[in-house]
Amino acid sequence: MDLEILKIASDTNNCKSIKNYTHFSKLKNPICGDEIQIELIIEKNKITDFGYQGKSCIYCNASANLVTKNFKSKSRGKIKTFLKLLDQFNDKENILFPNEWKDFKKVFDKKNFSRKECLTLPIKALKKII
């Protein structure tokens, strides 16, 4: 296992419940059983608070942590642009992330493609809201 993924997943600052959330999504991965729940507060088209909880593997936790850290104070439009970029995730070549999203290079790497369903579960939960 990549130590960088372990390091990202161990940051649990955003692993929390949000009181008075405005948006909520919960998904379960039918393949492995990972579960993720995200809660957001969206005000004036921007995410002002973002928390997640779940029973999931290290890959899903790392992805959820990156999403919550990087999407706070971002507009829905900016997030939708990023989500389209992730559609390119495959096992042939790495995604060329803009500098703004460089942290995602550490997780969404072709060497981790076999864990795609785990990595994209928080993204799919967010897509239901955005």
Side-chain angles (χ1 to χ4, degrees):
M1 173 172 302
D2 188 333
L3 289 177
E4 191 65 37
I5 290 175
L6 188 57
K7 180 180 172 185
I8 292 167
S10 67
D11 176 1
T12 58
N13 288 332
N14 294 312
C15 185
K16 62 184 179 181
S17 180
I18 305 291
K19 291 183 181 184
N20 302 319
Y21 59 83
T22 60
H23 296 77
F24 166 89
S25 180
K26 184 175 184 177
L27 284 179
K28 183 173 185 174
N29 183 340
I31 296 170
C32 66
D34 282 356
E35 294 180 10
I36 191 81
Q37 175 177 310
I38 61 172
E39 299 166 346
L40 309 172
I41 296 177
I42 299 178
E43 297 172 334
K44 297 182 181 176
N45 209 31
K46 288 191 177 186
I47 296 175
T48 58
D49 204 359
F50 196 149
Y52 71 93
Q53 299 174 13
K55 297 175 185 171
S56 56
C57 70
I58 201 82
Y59 291 91
C60 186
N61 285 336
S63 178
N65 184 45
L66 282 176
V67 167
T68 56
K69 280 177 40 177
N70 285 279
F71 290 171
K72 280 185 187 173
S73 76
K74 299 283 193 261
S75 70
R76 285 182 177 196
K78 184 120 9 219
I79 294 169
K80 285 180 182 181
T81 300
F82 174 80
L83 295 176
K84 287 180 186 175
L85 182 65
L86 275 187
D87 290 339
Q88 300 172 26
F89 186 42
N90 63 58
D91 62 345
K92 307 285 186 263
E93 56 188 69
N94 288 324
I95 299 171
L96 297 174
F97 287 101
N99 202 37
E100 178 180 18
W101 308 111
K102 68 180 186 231
D103 290 345
F104 287 89
K105 289 179 189 179
K106 300 169 187 171
V107 174
F108 288 90
D109 185 284
K110 65 182 179 181
K111 70 180 182 227
N112 297 325
F113 186 75
S114 64
R115 301 304 297 262
K116 179 180 181 179
E117 294 302 318
C118 303
L119 290 169
T120 58
L121 190 64
I123 306 297
K124 289 175 183 174
L126 181 61
K127 277 184 174 181
K128 286 178 60 176
I129 296 171
I130 299 295

